[in-house]
Amino acid sequence: MRSDREISRPSRRAVLAGAGLFSLGFHIPGLAPARAATPEAAAAVPEINAWVVVKPDETVVIRIARSEMGQGTLTGLAQLVAEELDCDWARVTTEYPSPGQNLARKRIWGDYSTGGSRGIRESHEYVRKGGAAARTTLVAAAAKGWGVPAGECRTERGVITHGPSGRKTTYGAVAAEAATIEPPKEVVLKDPKDWTLAGKPLKRLDTLPKLDGSQVYGIDLTLPGLLNAAIRDCPVTGGSVKSFDAAAVSGMPGVKRVLQLGDSAVVVVADTFWRAKTALDALPVVWDEGPNGKVSSETIAATLREGLDAGEAFVGNKSGDVAGALKGAAKVVEAVYGVPFQNHATMEPMNATALWTAERCEVWAPTQNGEAALAATAEASGLPATACEVHKIHLGGGFGRRGATHDWLRQAVQIAKEMPGTPVKLIWTREEDMIHGRYHPVTQCRLRAALDQDGNLTGLHMRISGQSILASVAPQRMVEGRDPVTFQGLNPGGPEAAIGYTIPNILIDHAMRNPHILPGFWRGVNLNPNAIYLECFMDELAHAAGQDPLAFRLKLMGNHPKHRAVLQAVADKIGWDSKPPEGVHRGLCQTMGFGSYVAGAAEVSVSEAGELKIHRIVAATDPGHAVNPQQIDAQVAGSFVYGLSAALYGACTVKDGRIEQTNFDSYPVMRMDAMPVVETILMPSGGFWGGVGEPTIAVAAPAVLNAVFAATGKRVRHLPLKDADLRRA
Amino acid sequence: MARLNVNGVVREVDAEADTPLLWVLREQVGLTGTKYGCGIAQCGACTVHIDGAAVRACSMPLSAVGPGQKIVTIEGLAPGADHPVQKAWAELDVPQCGFCQPGMIMASAALLAQNPRPSEEQIRAEITNICRCGTYNRVLAGIKLAAERGQSG
């Protein structure tokens, strides 16, 4: 049916779709050739190098290893390659080299992981070199044909010109020859100030198929003979299936199989998903809830409270003598903050499609990390990775849920393994997605600060108590039992996530307390709570010292010029020194994470009845180099939706060992009616590469919470805000 | 067998009467542009038009749709995807992941059909679809742009 539609609309997209199995988003990736060693575009036309294929019709295919999930990395990475390639941007298209191909070619495309806002900042150099090397070989091919020195040739928008003679040729005309030329060992990259494509606010490459329903997401995939599966895992993590009555539903319409998966899940496979789900809903299951059936949000909170005072904790940042500073303080200020679990709630629920035989396993998946997906496929299928392949499908949102654990993908493979030779698509219902997340970790934080007689901050102890993501997701990345990610934004220095204040006596430590609810990397990760804790408390300290919150911070930021610059920028733009409109109140904050410096300022009002309205947000970002300003603007605005959804409404609570929220009715998120104006200040200072997909989320909540305090005098220390009473006392 | 008029084509579909229109469109008709996001009419990713009105197809059983009713999905909104809303979306690069956008576009098109020059307040009240990437401000700008174009064109 879809192919009919494509044929009836012979657009540029449809032409591309016909050109290659791996072109992005314009077709259903079919059953790929079992031993494909190179992407499809390269099968027809030899590649210039791993990153670039130029077709005779001048189409430039740029290979993208990272996953596009809305954040714009596809377009940004293509801009970087195209910049060095000097090709015609209007002719650029993209494709994903598959993880299996990467394995076969000794990781020629490097890391596939798309998280931690790393897509561009960690691959910019090698993808630009790929573009530059391709340009060099294309020029060499033209020069060889003309019998002239390559140094006499120049390139512009896919055209090669021999200066002295004025002869011209095109990339497409010399591509086949270029493919035979040994690529240069060293290339010189352009100075960013000479960029003409990178750094520009170009339109995304992937917009059009998202406007007419033709973009294929994992959940949309169809294959010949495909069956659909619905799953219900034990609602209490750690529990198991005691019994289930397959006979009760096996005669229902469309049902093909009813089976138990592992210890803890039941599955119905049917001809359609709706029939699978309908039968699953009717399937009688008795659970053994296991050891966690009595756990609740209250018991978890009590465990975390104990950690706030525990004698032992992992140290993340320490200098001077905090105990001494507190003892000698003119004034000690103390507060305890806390954040709940959050679900990623991607718009597209978890899903994956798998086809298993005794010899080979193929998976089609919306994954943030193709390589990890391939490893998970191999593990779940019982086959070597070389006998597996993963086809990356466009993601309907990722936010960290689709990269680290691939629990949903493993399930799909395990189901397919029960039905050799039949492709099976597993779709989670929203309810399954809500109660089997990998949640933003739950933590609390006690902050104690010493102020001297002049209101100067002389000591700060931050004790974080709660869950470690790495302990669950990537224990191999722990450092002597410590989870370094816990201290995001609080590190004493470094290029990734350093604190922006110099405090003479400081101790930041973590009492790890891991409840059974599984954590994951949730967009913004630990920077989110850490910025709330530190930046709201800084506001408290300023008020305790009787000082302006901006001035109080700036005094501590002399050694942190980039942190200071973004904070000053939002203060200037929101008019910090001027009186806000009647009834409107302001708050501000700053942090650093994912290699970028960010600050936020908010204008809010709170009615007598306690209703909060966010009128205006100003956000500043210094990512070092900015590859696509209009996409950064979109990421910054979107970050406030994600961050404020959590801060205002979001909480996954636990009762009887299970997550209580099952859909958007009980887990509300921000909608357009609550969306404030967001004014973005992009201030790339050069010299480094920071991420933009995540850091701004961390300033959303503290900017608003500090403004809420200015409006009400009420300090909201436990989120979400909807649980707080903001009525005038 | 039920008979449905989808995007101007009458089709026979083989599904139980209580099957939501969403899944009939996706799994029987093969039009996957209409998305599953929540199944309880909360998120709007499944928005289609029935006789011109925006309807959340996940909560509309097949039995409630008559053979004479005209269903329009994102695939059939406009030939060549040139509806003013789609054109405005392209101009402003509205989508991020894009999963909610078919529903967002269908809801916006229905709003403009009913109210060609909505105020910002009306747009904010009427468009209740969920977008987790956070495209709301561009959606808002897109609807305003489409409204202006609709007026002049």
Side-chain angles (χ1 to χ4, degrees), chain A residues 191-222:
Chain A
D191 188 320
K193 72 175 165 45
D194 298 325
W195 286 349
T196 59
L197 291 172
K200 304 302 176 201
L202 303 184
K203 292 274 190 71
R204 296 175 66 112
L205 292 171
D206 56 345
T207 294
L208 291 181
K210 294 175 177 174
L211 304 181
D212 64 2
S214 61
Q215 176 73 61
V216 174
Y217 298 85
I219 200 170
D220 301 329
L221 195 84
T222 63

Side-chain angles (χ1 to χ4, degrees), chain A residues 559-637:
Chain A
N559 298 329
H560 310 273
K562 291 190 173 77
H563 293 81
R564 195 180 57 203
V566 287
L567 181 64
Q568 189 66 59
V570 296
D572 291 346
K573 187 159 177 89
I574 206 152
W576 189 259
D577 291 334
S578 69
K579 198 170 146 43
E582 183 65 28
V584 172
H585 301 269
R586 293 178 181 142
L588 48 63
C589 63
Q590 63 78 27
T591 192
M592 180 206 181
F594 308 95
S596 289
Y597 301 84
V598 292
E603 286 188 347
V604 312
S605 61
V606 179
S607 72
E608 289 286 333
E611 285 172 321
L612 168 68
K613 182 166 174 54
I614 305 168
H615 300 273
R616 180 183 174 215
I617 295 284
V618 173
T621 305
D622 177 2
H625 291 289
V627 174
N628 188 322
Q630 74 103 351
Q631 279 312 302
I632 294 173
D633 179 72
Q635 285 304 297
V636 168

Side-chain angles (χ1 to χ4, degrees), chain A residues 322 325-327 329-335 446-452 456-462 503 505 537-538 540-541 544 552:
Chain A
V322 165
L326 287 166
K327 205 172 287 175
K331 190 173 191 177
V332 172
V333 182
E334 178 175 326
R446 167 168 286 151
L447 302 104
R448 281 198 183 99
L451 295 174
D452 69 14
N456 296 308
L457 177 59
T458 56
L460 174 69
H461 179 203
M462 278 181 81
I503 301 165
N505 303 288
F537 192 62
M538 277 289 168
E540 295 202 43
L541 293 177
F552 182 82

Side-chain angles (χ1 to χ4, degrees), chain A residues 21-79:
Chain A
L21 278 173
F22 294 84
S23 300
L24 294 180
F26 311 128
H27 68 294
I28 301 176
L31 295 167
R35 298 279 182 262
T38 56
E40 197 66 14
V45 183
E47 65 185 28
I48 308 297
N49 61 26
W51 301 99
V52 176
V53 176
V54 183
K55 295 181 183 178
D57 70 356
E58 307 296 337
T59 301
V60 176
V61 182
I62 295 176
R63 304 241 177 86
I64 307 291
R66 312 280 174 153
S67 298
E68 177 58 45
M69 50 189 163
Q71 83 282 35
T73 205
L74 179 80
T75 304
L77 288 168
Q79 282 177 263

Side-chain angles (χ1 to χ4, degrees), chain A residues 218-229 256 269-272 352-355 364 422-427, chain B residues 27:
Chain A
I219 200 170
D220 301 329
L221 195 84
T222 63
L223 295 170
L226 180 84
L227 295 179
N228 289 269
K256 306 289 185 187
V269 182
D271 55 353
T272 68
T353 301
L355 171 58
W364 293 257
T422 300
V424 181
K425 175 164 66 176
L426 170 67
I427 300 174
Chain B
E27 301 197 294

